[in-house]
Amino acid sequence: MIPLHRLKPDFWDFPDISGSHSGLNLKRKWKMIVLVTATLALSPLVIMTLVDFSLTRRTIETEANTGMLTSLNTIAAVISASLEEKPPVTGAKTLWEKAFPHLDTGMNNDLFLMDNTGRLLTPSVYYGASDSKTSLDAGLFSGAEGIVNIQAPDGTPLLAGYTSITGTALTLVKLQQADRLRDLWLKPRLQLLWFLCASIGFILLSIMGMATFLVSRIHKSERMRIEALHHEEHANRLASIGRLASGVAHEINNPLDIINQKTGLIIDLLTLEKQARPDQRLLPLAEDVLEAVKRCGTITRQLLDFARHMEPCVEPVDMEEVISQVLALLETDARHRDITINVPPVPKIPGFACDRSSLVQIFLNLAENAITAMGKTGTLTIAVTHEKTGFVTIRVSDTGKGIPSEDLPKIFEPFYTTRTDRWGGGLGLAITYGLIREMGGDIRVKSAVDKGTRFILTLPVKAPRPAAPDGTLHLPGSEMTMSAKPVDDDTRRDLYAKS
Amino acid sequence: MSEKVLLVDDEKDFLDIMSERMQARGMTVKTADSADKALAMLESESFDAIVMDFKMPGMDGIQALKNIKNQKPELQIILLTGYATVEKTVEAMKIGATDLLEKPADLEALAAKIKQAKTEKMLLVEKQNEDKIKDILQRIGG
C-alpha cells in the first residue's frame, strides 16, 4: 500500500502567498482545473448515458406492453369467437377448462378471466380460486384494453394487462411481476453502468494527474523564482553587512596598532632599558596585551576576508593579466631565492569569465606553495591551454622536493601541512580546492619526490555561478566549511587553538 | 651603520611611539605627519627607507608613493595598511613599493624589512653607479 501522504503533491500544503511574491493559491487552482476539465469531459458522457438509459427503458417497456396486449387480444378474440353461441359465463368457464387446461400459469404469467364486478371466473395465482370475489378494483380495467400497475394482496408490485372480451362483460387479465420487466432493461444497463463508472474514474484520474503535473510545474517554477528573489535579497543583505564589517575592521585596526605599539614600548622600556625595580607582573601583563592585540588583528583580518568573499562576481577575466598580477607579488621572493618563473605565451580565451579574486587567490596559493617547496633555486612554470571542450587547463609545476605518494590524498584536506613556519596554516590548498569547485572546475596533482610537483587545474570557460553568496566556502574532505556565519565561542576557541 | 628611516603617519601617537621604539633598536628615525611634509623632507635629506601609512588624509598612500618614486627612484618604501588586498598590493608593488605590511604591525618584522630594504637600496645605488661608470667609459671609448 502506498501511504496517502506520498500521493499528496508538494504544492498541497504550500501556503497561500498572495500577499507576498506570488498571487497564487495553488490548491484552489488545482481544484478549479480539475472541476472545469472534469465538467467539460464528463457532462456529455453522463447526459448521453442518461438519455440512452431512459430511451432503452421506454423502448423495452413499450415492446413488452405491446407484446402482452397482442397476446391478450389474440386469446380474447379466440374466446370471444367461441362464446358467440353460448352464455358467456358458463361458456367461458367450460372453454377455459377445455382449451386452457395446461396453461403454464405462474407468478409471471397469471392469466385469468373476471367479470365486471371483480369476481373471478377462472383461478388466479395471486387472487385465488374461481368464483371468488377478488380485492381487485374492477374500475381499473374499465377500458377496452390497457396496462396498469397494481399491487398483489401480498404487496408484490404487478403489471396488469387486460382486454375486454367483445360481446361479454368479461375481462381477460394477465398479471406479471413488475420487477421482471425492469430486469429486462436494467441488468444490461447496469453492466454498462459499471463500464461507465470505470471510464469516469479513469478520466478523473487522468484529469487529476494532468492538473497535478501542470500545477506542480507552476509550483516548481514559482518556488525557483521566489528562491532566486530570496537569494538575491539575502546576498544583498550579506554584501551590506560585509561592507559594514569591512569598514569597522579598517577603523579598528588603527587604534589596535596604537595599543600594539604602546604595549611594545612598555615591553621595550622594561627589557631594553632595564628599569631598577619594575614590578614582576608588568612584563607578562604587557605580553598578554600584545597577544590579545594579535587575536583582535586576526579577527579583523578574517572579517575582511569574509567580507571580500561575500561579494563574488563573475566577470570577464584576462588570464594573462591575472597571472602577471600574481607574478608581480611573487617576483621579489622568487628573485631572493634564485627561482626562475617560466610562463609560456598565454592563449587568448574568448568569453572566459569567473570570480577574479578567487582566480588570483588560486594562483597565489599554488605559486606560493611551489616557491616554498623549491626553497633555493628551481623553476616555476605556469602553462595555460585552452581546450576545445569549453575548459581551460592550467598547469602549475615546480622543481621542488615533491610530495610523497602516501601524502598525496591528504593534501587538499583542511589543516594538513608539512610546513613548520607560522604561516603554514594548512588551509591554502583546501581553500584553493574549495574555490576551484565553486567555479565548476577540478584540480589534480602529480608529484615525484625530489623531482617536483604539478597541479593540473581544469576550469570551465564560463563559470556556472558565482561562489556561495552566503560567504560559505566548502572545503574538501569531511563536512567542513569555512563560513562567514557567526560562530560560537567554543568553535572560535578551537579554531584559534588550531591556527 | 644604522638605518635611517622616515616614518610617515597622520597619527601623532603612532609616530612618537614607533620612532622611540625604532630608535631603541638602533635606527635613526625622522617623522612626518603628512605625505606633503615627507616630500619636503626628502628634498633636503636622504633616507634608507620610508615607512608610510597607506591611508592618510590629503595625499593618499598611492599618490604619495608615485610622487616619492618620481623624486627618488632608488628609495625603498614600506607601506603600512589596515588591510592588504591583492589588488591594492599589486598596485603598490607596480608603482615601486618594496613591501606592504598589515596593521597591527610587528615591529621586529618591520625592522627586518627595513634592513632588507637598506641592502636593496645599496645594491640599487651600486648598480646605478656601475651603469654610470659604464656609460662614462663607453662615451670616452666612443
Side-chain angles (χ1 to χ4, degrees):
Chain A
M1 266 306 268
I2 306 166
L4 271 177
H5 65 88
R6 285 184 66 185
L7 289 173
K8 196 161 71 174
D10 287 346
F11 62 81
W12 203 254
D13 297 325
F14 197 59
D16 179 14
I17 38 174
S18 47
S20 60
H21 300 294
S22 161
L24 295 173
N25 181 341
L26 294 170
K27 201 156 96 180
R28 220 178 86 200
K29 277 246 166 336
W30 184 88
K31 283 178 182 168
M32 262 180 66
I33 292 174
V34 170
L35 193 73
V36 171
T37 324
T39 310
L40 287 175
L42 296 178
S43 312
L45 197 69
V46 172
I47 291 170
M48 292 287 283
T49 311
L50 287 175
V51 169
D52 172 66
F53 209 73
S54 148
L55 273 177
T56 314
R57 197 180 86 180
R58 263 190 241 161
T59 311
I60 287 178
E61 273 177 6
T62 314
E63 268 178 22
N65 291 351
T66 316
M68 187 153 78
L69 284 178
T70 311
S71 66
L72 278 176
N73 283 335
T74 312
I75 297 168
V78 173
I79 295 172
S80 173
S82 308
L83 295 181
E84 273 176 6
E85 306 295 325
K86 295 168 190 171
V89 176
T90 48
K93 272 187 177 178
T94 320
L95 180 69
W96 195 269
E97 279 160 13
K98 281 183 185 170
F100 306 107
H102 304 299
L103 259 182
D104 184 21
T105 51
M107 292 299 218
N108 269 318
N109 191 23
D110 187 14
L111 200 64
F112 58 88
L113 278 169
M114 61 181 275
D115 66 9
N116 54 2
T117 60
R119 196 171 57 91
L120 285 173
L121 265 71
T122 60
S124 158
V125 177
Y126 287 100
Y127 292 96
S130 55
D131 293 326
S132 60
K133 178 85 176 156
T134 66
S135 55
L136 273 168
D137 178 10
L140 281 172
F141 311 121
S142 54
E145 61 173 36
I147 290 175
V148 287
N149 283 307
I150 58 166
Q151 230 176 14
D154 60 355
T156 317
L158 295 172
L159 204 63
Y162 68 93
T163 182
S164 58
I165 295 166
T166 325
T168 65
L170 301 176
T171 305
L172 179 65
V173 181
K174 187 180 179 179
L175 298 178
Q176 244 180 20
Q177 279 183 343
D179 291 353
R180 190 170 165 268
L181 189 63
R182 206 178 57 201
D183 286 354
L184 272 176
W185 59 266
L186 195 61
K187 273 187 180 167
R189 290 299 114 183
L190 278 177
Q191 279 170 357
L192 275 175
L193 201 69
W194 277 116
F195 180 72
L196 178 79
C197 288
S199 305
I200 288 175
F202 183 71
I203 291 170
L204 273 178
L205 277 178
S206 307
I207 290 171
M208 282 158 79
M210 205 60 120
T212 308
F213 174 74
L214 285 174
V215 177
S216 289
R217 289 294 290 265
I218 297 174
H219 175 231
K220 196 177 165 194
S221 60
E222 189 61 16
R223 210 170 48 189
M224 278 165 73
R225 197 176 70 87
I226 292 168
E227 268 171 21
L229 275 172
H230 276 307
H231 232 70
E232 204 178 312
E233 277 174 22
H234 188 60
N236 284 343
R237 209 173 303 134
L238 278 174
S240 312
I241 295 169
R243 277 193 289 276
L244 183 74
S246 151
V248 170
H250 265 293
E251 291 312 313
I252 286 175
N253 271 353
N254 281 323
L256 209 55
D257 203 24
I258 293 172
I259 301 171
N260 184 38
Q261 296 308 337
K262 288 201 172 180
T263 318
L265 182 60
I266 294 170
I267 294 172
D268 282 358
L269 292 174
L270 291 172
T271 51
L272 299 177
E273 295 186 9
K274 300 278 180 227
Q275 298 273 322
R277 282 175 64 102
D279 191 317
Q280 291 298 309
R281 290 172 301 175
L282 271 180
L283 194 59
L285 283 173
E287 278 166 353
D288 285 350
V289 174
L290 271 191
E291 200 53 46
V293 167
K294 264 187 199 163
R295 276 179 62 180
C296 285
T298 314
I299 292 165
T300 52
R301 198 160 296 129
Q302 279 173 349
L303 210 56
L304 286 160
D305 281 342
F306 287 139
R308 280 174 61 72
H309 190 65
M310 275 179 202
E311 293 180 87
C313 69
V314 174
E315 57 182 341
V317 171
D318 181 353
M319 181 74 83
E320 194 172 6
E321 195 200 323
V322 168
I323 294 177
S324 66
Q325 209 176 54
V326 172
L327 294 184
L329 287 174
L330 300 166
E331 227 166 20
T332 321
D333 199 14
R335 204 173 54 236
H336 283 148
R337 292 169 185 254
D338 199 15
I339 285 168
T340 315
I341 299 176
N342 175 27
V343 182
V346 178
K348 285 276 166 229
I349 307 158
F352 181 62
C354 67
D355 180 30
R356 190 193 172 83
S357 337
S358 299
L359 189 64
V360 170
Q361 186 80 53
I362 291 166
F363 273 121
L364 209 56
N365 288 350
L366 291 177
E368 271 184 343
N369 270 354
I371 289 174
T372 315
M374 286 186 280
K376 300 271 174 200
T377 75
T379 308
L380 166 67
T381 310
I382 300 177
V384 180
T385 46
H386 182 199
E387 310 290 338
K388 282 183 185 149
T389 49
F391 281 88
V392 181
T393 305
I394 303 154
R395 291 178 177 82
V396 181
S397 334
D398 64 58
T399 54
K401 59 187 175 190
I403 306 163
S405 56
E406 63 268 23
D407 286 348
L408 271 180
K410 289 183 276 181
I411 57 163
F412 294 115
E413 285 175 18
F415 302 113
Y416 174 78
T417 181
T418 52
R419 290 168 69 170
T420 48
D421 56 81
R422 71 190 181 104
W423 304 111
L427 278 175
L429 278 178
I431 290 172
T432 306
Y433 180 89
L435 292 173
I436 290 171
R437 297 300 294 176
E438 271 180 2
M439 289 162 86
D442 197 15
I443 181 166
R444 284 173 293 136
V445 58
K446 287 180 181 173
S447 187
V449 174
D450 294 330
K451 283 188 179 164
T453 306
R454 172 179 289 176
F455 286 95
I456 303 151
L457 282 73
T458 325
L459 294 176
V461 169
K462 200 103 189 145
R465 60 181 177 81
D470 60 351
T472 309
L473 180 64
H474 293 274
L475 300 181
S478 69
E479 290 299 307
M480 181 168 174
T481 56
M482 277 188 85
S483 173
K485 288 172 189 160
V487 286
D488 59 31
D489 283 336
D490 289 339
T491 320
R492 198 175 286 129
R493 260 197 303 280
D494 287 346
L495 283 172
Y496 288 140
K498 282 177 182 173
S499 57
Chain B
M1 201 180 140
S2 74
E3 297 82 15
K4 192 174 176 192
V5 182
L6 175 60
L7 202 57
V8 191
D9 200 303
D10 57 314
E11 292 263 0
K12 198 175 173 308
D13 253 359
F14 179 80
L15 281 182
D16 293 346
I17 307 156
M18 276 293 269
S19 62
E20 191 177 343
R21 294 191 68 198
M22 284 160 85
Q23 277 164 1
R25 280 160 182 77
M27 290 179 236
T28 310
V29 185
K30 289 280 174 84
T31 58
D33 59 7
S34 72
D36 292 312
K37 281 185 187 164
L39 279 164
M41 285 171 82
L42 284 174
E43 283 178 9
S44 54
E45 269 182 90
S46 136
F47 294 93
D48 294 321
I50 296 184
V51 177
M52 185 167 66
D53 190 13
F54 203 89
K55 205 173 158 188
M56 283 185 293
M59 200 189 295
D60 74 339
I62 290 286
Q63 193 52 46
L65 187 65
K66 279 181 188 164
N67 292 349
I68 294 168
K69 274 287 167 185
N70 279 341
Q71 205 174 326
K72 302 221 165 162
E74 77 285 354
L75 202 57
Q76 303 294 305
I77 302 161
I78 296 165
L79 289 170
L80 289 178
T81 174
Y83 180 56
T85 62
V86 171
E87 289 79 11
K88 202 198 272 183
T89 315
V90 167
E91 194 184 356
M93 294 296 201
K94 271 187 182 164
I95 297 167
T98 313
D99 223 320
L100 199 134
L101 277 181
E102 275 187 333
K103 285 181 181 178
D106 178 17
L107 192 61
E108 307 309 327
L110 181 62
K113 298 266 180 204
I114 292 169
K115 273 203 176 75
Q116 198 180 318
K118 189 185 175 184
T119 321
E120 290 264 343
K121 190 200 162 193
M122 282 164 70
L123 284 173
L124 210 65
V125 172
E126 269 175 34
K127 195 170 175 297
Q128 276 174 355
N129 291 341
E130 266 177 37
D131 288 346
K132 272 182 196 164
I133 293 166
K134 270 184 199 165
D135 195 35
I136 292 164
L137 287 174
Q138 264 178 357
R139 275 189 206 166
I140 295 166

